[in-house]
Amino acid sequence: DIGGKYEHQQTVEEVNDAIDKHDVVVVGMRHNPFPRKAKKLLDQNGIKYEYLEYGSYTSEWKRRGALKMWTGWQTFPMIFVKGHFVGGYDDLVKLVKSGDLKKMLA
């Protein structure tokens, strides 16, 4: 449907705009603990980020579906660093522990 296609395009454009403007972007959803954990980890490490939230388990699933198709990633959060998709929460933990996240942001 035309409305759905526009909504999908608009969602991807919103995320792309955030990626263009911010070094770190976290895309999440309400009621999912992993986006919260990712934000907490970034806060604890003094790393600024932009957070975008798309609904909960029962709302805005089409918008999240568009992001899943665009990234090829099926879970939230979706984390982008310097314009590159780096994965989810577990991937972020590895980047922080290894020091690679700070290197990517340097």
Side-chain angles (χ1 to χ4, degrees):
D1 73 58
I2 301 296
K5 283 184 182 172
Y6 173 74
E7 190 176 41
H8 288 179
Q9 183 181 350
Q10 184 183 25
T11 302
V12 170
E13 286 175 6
E14 284 173 11
V15 174
N16 257 325
D17 287 347
I19 290 167
D20 288 344
K21 294 174 185 161
H22 304 278
D23 287 343
V24 178
V25 176
V26 178
V27 179
M29 58 184 281
R30 283 186 302 284
H31 311 304
N32 180 327
F34 291 98
R36 281 195 304 276
K37 288 180 179 185
K39 293 189 306 179
K40 183 177 178 183
L41 180 62
L42 292 167
D43 288 339
Q44 289 170 339
N45 284 276
I47 296 167
K48 292 182 186 209
Y49 58 90
E50 178 73 3
Y51 179 67
L52 301 173
E53 185 172 87
Y54 293 99
S56 66
Y57 289 104
T58 58
S59 69
E60 295 187 57
W61 58 270
K62 285 184 180 179
R63 295 185 84 189
R64 287 193 309 279
L67 295 171
K68 289 176 181 184
M69 287 187 288
W70 177 58
T71 61
W73 191 257
Q74 295 302 308
T75 60
F76 290 89
M78 295 175 177
I79 301 168
F80 300 84
V81 177
K82 292 278 192 173
H84 299 283
F85 177 69
V86 297
Y89 173 71
D90 291 339
D91 303 290
L92 179 65
V93 170
K94 289 175 191 164
L95 287 172
V96 169
K97 284 185 177 177
S98 68
D100 287 342
L101 183 60
K102 293 216 186 224
K103 288 178 195 163
M104 292 172 78
L105 294 171

